[in-house]
């Protein structure tokens, strides 16, 4: 659980560059990206397929290290290029939460256990973990389904359980990769509003990669990723070029 | 939270089927060990129960269990005269095959040194010991002969007067106890025609020499009964069993007997050792090899199943890594599943064995020490079997969740 000061960004990415392959097969996925998300802020990242959104997200998730650039989470430098400055796995379990397009719940665990496991891997005692997991499910409105296996849950319920799991260790940064893609518009909006609620009430930075333009009004800020450029805009404004992105090389 | 148990519960059908398969394999492994123990028990049963201190066998041979051993029956009387000897008995043992109720029956014919030995040392489950010098027998129940039944062997019929249980020879055939003279009659029984031919041959041989033509009495003897020519038909026994007097010096008795060039003397442990190293050793090696092969097969099966279960969970494992689960959590999940499989298989093997082993044609002896050692082996093979799955799991990248 992180307790940085209110002014500390949830995440700060500086001059991020990611290159796949080498020589003739070299592909520059991210040219030079710099961005910051404050705690309590919910940010959307839009862009066509192959624009580099997922590369930025996975780099911030500490599972796809950049070629160059720095990433600091909660004010703590964690990556300097591909070099890890901390134990990444331990850092992920303590400071990051993840939600995906599919809920990715473990099929042999109940909804409650899917949340509980995230707490137990972070050394929370089983009894306390169970209590906290139940509180989170109640908070997200799926407490009544706590003992159901994922297969018995609807898509919306599964995604709520996934959000509960992401919140389990009270992370400073939540990363979501197209979390509403598998949901209808009504349920998709519910999930996005849930993220906004989490960001504002729990003071977490939330970055959501999405294609769903109908829910952009719930975000504090929108990042457009296109042709290696990151543009930032307010939810009700048109896209405009900013200094946070640079063209691909 | 125990992930292994929850995953097993989720895939209960596959786990149960696999465990049953492993259990049956382990039951055979357990049975192999039990058959080996039973083989030793059966092979040494007679030597143990006979209660002799020394075994006297034909000179330069290894005794009746290893090869043919022929001794004159009157050796018994010579041995009795040795200081320190309390008792000497003739020992006759040979296996025959006859038909009983239309089925083949193999029987170990065992001679009791009547009248000293009437079978009082044989554990009877029904009937009595021998009361007369001829035509009575004590049979092991596995032979299928009823108490009171008269069974013809050679030219005579023998009445079953006693039943014993678990008394079998080294090949697992049931023992039948007769007096030594009856046992010899059964062993050397020849058809009438063969007797007539032999007498004719003898007569012809005697007629061919001058003394035969000059001595009609000699010709008459040669053409008569074999028992009438003691020098040619001396009764033979397989061994003479010696019981020492209380406090007698075994080494001294052996030293005395050792000066007789026509015999060889073994102590009971030596005789047992000869039996085991000779007859049982190959069977032991065969069973051991088969047992090891089955253990290797079990290991491979567990490894493949655990690996398949791991592949099925690859996304879940990637997710666990993404949310920061330590390697020991992931490795523990796979190791525990493998151990559960081995442990349940082992328990199942033991349980099924309780019903199956008594129905095996050969005696199966399961000793606690063997159960413990097999349990340890199952622990080791289950651990080894999990390594492939653990190796695969530890290689999974957490971003597999995102790319899938």
């Amino acid at each position: 659980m992180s307790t940085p000061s209110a002014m500390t960004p949830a995440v700060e990415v500086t001059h991020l560059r990611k290159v796949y392959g080498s020589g003739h097969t070299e592909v520059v996925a991210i040219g030079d990206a710099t961005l910051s998300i404050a705690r309590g802020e919910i940010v959307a990242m839009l862009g066509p397929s192959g624009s580099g959104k997922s590369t930025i997200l996975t780099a911030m998730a500490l599972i796809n290290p950049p070629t160059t650039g720095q990433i600091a989470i909660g004010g703590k430098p964690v990556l300097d290029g591909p070099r890890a400055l901390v134990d990444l796995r331990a850092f992920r379990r303590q400071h990051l939460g993840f939600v995906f397009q599919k809920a990715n719940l473990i099929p042999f665990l109940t909804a409650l256990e899917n949340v509980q496991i995230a707490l137990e891997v972070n050394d929370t005692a089983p009894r306390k973990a169970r209590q906290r997991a139940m509180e989170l499910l109640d908070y997200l409105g799926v407490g009544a389904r706590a003992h159901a296996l994922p297969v018995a849950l609807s898509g919306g319920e599964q995604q709520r359980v996934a959000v509960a799991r992401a919140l389990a260790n009270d992370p400073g940064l939540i990363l979501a990769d197209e979390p509403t893609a598998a949901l209808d518009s009504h349920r998709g909006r519910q999930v996005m509003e849930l993220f906004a609620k989490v960001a504002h009430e729990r003071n977490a930075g939330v970055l959501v990669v999405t294609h769903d333009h109908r829910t952009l009004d719930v975000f504090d800020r929108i990042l457009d990723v296109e042709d290696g450029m990151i543009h930032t805009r307010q939810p009700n404004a048109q896209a405009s070029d900013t200094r946070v992105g640079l063209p691909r090389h | 939270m125990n992930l292994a148990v929850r995953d097993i519960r989720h895939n209960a059908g596959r786990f149960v089927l696999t465990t049953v398969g492993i259990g049956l394999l382990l039951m055979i492994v357990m049975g192999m060990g039990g058959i080996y123990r039973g083989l030793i028990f059966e092979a040494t049963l007679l030597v143990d129960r006979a209660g002799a201190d020394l075994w006297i066998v034909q000179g330069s041979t290894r005794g009746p269990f290893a090869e043919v051993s022929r001794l004159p029956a009157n050796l018994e009387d010579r041995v009795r005269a040795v200081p320190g000897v309390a008792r000497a008995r003739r020992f006759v043992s040979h296996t025959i095959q006859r038909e009983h109720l239309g089925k083949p029956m193999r029987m170990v014919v065992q001679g009791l040194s009547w009248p000293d030995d009437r079978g009082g040392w044989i554990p009877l489950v029904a009937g009595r010991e021998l009361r007369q010098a001829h035509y009575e027998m004590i049979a092991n129940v596995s032979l299928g002969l009823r108490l009171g039944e008269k069974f013809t062997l050679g030219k005579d019929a023998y009445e079953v007067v006693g039943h014993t249980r678990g008394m079998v020879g080294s090949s697992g055939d049931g023992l039948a106890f007769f007096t030594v003279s009856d046992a010899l009659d059964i062993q050397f029984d020849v058809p009438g025609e063969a007797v007539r031919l032999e007498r004719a041959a003898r007569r012809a041989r005697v007629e061919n020499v001058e003394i035969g033509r000059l001595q009609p009495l000699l010709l008459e003897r040669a053409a008569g009964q074999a028992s009438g020519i003691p020098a040619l038909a001396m009764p033979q026994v397989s061994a003479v069993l010696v019981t020492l007097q209380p406090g007698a010096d075994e080494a001294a008795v052996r030293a005395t007997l050792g000066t007789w060039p026509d015999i060889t003397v073994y102590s009971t442990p030596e005789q047992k050792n000869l039996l085991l190293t000779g007859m049982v050793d190959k069977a032991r090696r065969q069973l051991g090899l088969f047992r090891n092969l089955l253990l290797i097969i079990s290991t491979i099966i567990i490894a493949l199943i655990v690996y398949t279960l791991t592949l099925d969970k690859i996304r879940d494992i990637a997710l666990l890594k993404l949310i920061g689960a330590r390697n020991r959590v992931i490795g523990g999940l796979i190791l525990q599943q493998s151990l559960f499989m081995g442990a349940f298989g082992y328990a199942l093997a033991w349980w099924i064995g309780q019903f199956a082993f008594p129905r095996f044609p050969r005696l199966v002896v399961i000793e606690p020490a063997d159960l413990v050692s097999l349990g340890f082996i199952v622990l080791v093979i289950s651990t080894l079997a999990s390594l492939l799955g653990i190796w695969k799991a530890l290689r999974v990248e957490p971003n597999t969740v995102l790319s899938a």
Side-chain angles (χ1 to χ4, degrees), chain B residues 7-257:
Chain B
D7 186 30
I8 287 169
R9 203 169 53 194
H10 190 64
N11 292 299
R14 178 152 51 160
F15 181 80
V16 167
L17 278 176
T18 308
T19 303
V20 168
I22 299 293
L24 289 172
L25 269 174
L26 290 177
M27 186 202 75
I28 297 171
V29 172
M30 203 179 273
M32 290 286 164
I35 289 170
Y36 167 61
R37 293 280 177 210
L39 209 64
I40 292 174
F41 178 81
E42 287 179 342
T44 57
L45 180 72
L46 193 57
V47 180
D48 282 332
R49 292 282 170 89
D53 295 314
L54 297 174
W55 288 67
I56 299 176
V57 303
Q58 183 181 334
S60 304
T61 71
R62 305 247 159 184
F65 303 110
E67 56 189 306
V68 173
S69 168
R70 293 275 172 91
L71 290 171
N74 62 6
L75 180 72
E76 181 187 12
D77 302 320
R78 285 165 58 196
V79 172
R80 279 200 192 102
V82 174
V85 172
R87 192 177 173 208
R89 287 172 284 160
R90 287 163 287 167
F91 179 86
V92 173
S93 182
H94 56 93
T95 303
I96 58 172
Q97 181 167 328
R98 298 289 186 274
E99 277 216 349
H100 181 242
L101 302 177
K103 289 182 181 172
M105 178 183 71
R106 287 179 62 81
M107 168 195 288
V108 180
V109 174
Q110 192 67 40
L112 297 176
S113 192
W114 178 273
D116 289 349
D117 186 358
R118 297 166 185 240
W121 54 273
I122 302 165
L124 296 177
V125 293
R128 56 169 174 82
E129 58 191 58
L130 303 183
R131 281 190 193 153
Q132 60 187 47
H134 295 289
Y135 315 128
E136 284 190 348
M137 65 188 281
I138 297 168
N140 192 57
V141 288
S142 65
L143 292 170
L145 297 169
R146 296 183 314 278
L147 207 60
E149 182 177 348
K150 289 193 173 178
F151 190 60
T152 302
L153 290 166
K155 295 179 184 65
D156 301 308
Y158 300 86
E159 183 182 353
V160 180
V161 297
H163 264 165
T164 184
R165 191 185 297 280
M167 294 294 283
V168 294
S170 56
S171 55
D173 301 320
L175 291 179
F177 297 89
F178 305 80
T179 61
V180 164
S181 57
D182 282 352
L184 289 171
D185 282 348
I186 294 165
Q187 184 176 10
F188 297 111
D189 174 59
V190 286
E193 180 61 15
V195 172
R196 282 190 289 277
L197 288 170
E198 168 61 17
R199 286 180 186 175
R202 259 188 263 144
R203 186 186 174 92
R205 283 201 299 277
V206 175
E207 282 174 344
N208 283 342
V209 292
E210 191 177 2
I211 191 168
R213 290 192 292 273
L214 296 174
Q215 298 286 336
L217 189 61
L218 189 60
L219 196 61
E220 193 179 321
R221 271 284 178 92
Q225 290 183 359
S227 58
I229 321 168
L232 295 177
M234 188 170 57
Q236 302 280 327
V237 295
S238 306
V240 171
L241 310 189
V242 176
T243 306
L244 299 176
Q245 289 170 349
D249 183 0
E250 184 183 316
V253 175
R254 286 190 71 162
T256 305
L257 294 171

Side-chain angles (χ1 to χ4, degrees), chain A residues 61-83:
Chain A
L62 312 180
I63 55 178
N64 185 19
T67 309
T68 58
Q70 292 82 40
I71 296 175
I73 295 174
K76 186 171 181 63
V78 290
L79 278 175
D80 184 5
R83 189 164 65 91

Side-chain angles (χ1 to χ4, degrees), chain A residues 57-58 61 63-64 89-90 92-93 98 100 102 104-109 113-114 116-118 120-123 126 130 149 165 177, chain B residues 1-4 6-7 9-11 313 315-316 319-330 333 394 397-399 401-402 404:
Chain A
L57 189 89
T58 53
I63 55 178
N64 185 19
R89 202 185 292 192
R92 277 202 304 270
R93 70 172 166 259
F98 305 93
F100 315 99
K102 290 180 182 173
N104 278 325
L105 301 179
I106 296 175
F108 52 84
L109 300 181
E113 289 166 345
N114 264 285
Q116 192 181 338
I117 188 69
E120 286 192 17
V121 298
N122 198 27
D123 299 328
R130 197 171 178 81
L149 286 170
R165 181 178 61 196
D177 190 10
Chain B
M1 185 191 312
N2 190 306
L3 293 173
R6 281 163 176 79
D7 186 30
R9 203 169 53 194
H10 190 64
N11 292 299
K313 286 193 293 286
R315 279 174 61 93
D316 305 325
L319 179 85
L320 285 170
K321 284 189 170 184
L322 185 68
I323 65 174
R326 294 171 178 87
N327 281 342
R328 65 179 157 83
V329 172
I330 295 159
L333 160 68
L394 295 185
E397 292 292 334
N399 55 15
V401 179
L402 302 173

Side-chain angles (χ1 to χ4, degrees), chain A residues 9-61:
Chain A
V11 62
E12 203 164 13
V13 176
T14 312
H15 301 301
L16 185 78
R17 176 180 163 81
K18 180 69 182 181
V19 179
Y20 291 108
S22 60
H24 294 299
T25 60
E26 182 178 289
V27 175
V28 180
I30 299 294
D32 184 359
T34 298
L35 66 92
S36 173
I37 298 171
R39 291 183 73 92
E41 184 184 26
I42 177 166
V43 175
M45 189 184 278
L46 302 177
S49 294
S51 60
K53 314 184 293 292
S54 292
T55 304
I56 294 172
L57 189 89
T58 53
M60 291 163 72

Side-chain angles (χ1 to χ4, degrees), chain A residues 12 25 30 56-57 61 67 72 81 99 102-103 115 131 133 169 197 199 217 228-229 234 238-239 248:
Chain A
E12 203 164 13
T25 60
I30 299 294
I56 294 172
L57 189 89
T67 309
V99 183
K102 290 180 182 173
V115 182
Q131 191 181 347
N169 291 305
K197 182 181 172 188
D217 56 302
M229 297 281 288
Q234 296 307 310
Q238 294 297 313
R248 292 183 185 208

Side-chain angles (χ1 to χ4, degrees), chain B residues 368-384:
Chain B
D370 292 338
L371 285 176
V372 172
S373 68
L374 181 61
F376 180 73
I377 290 168
V378 169
L379 185 75
V380 171
I381 66 169
S382 302
T383 305
L384 286 175

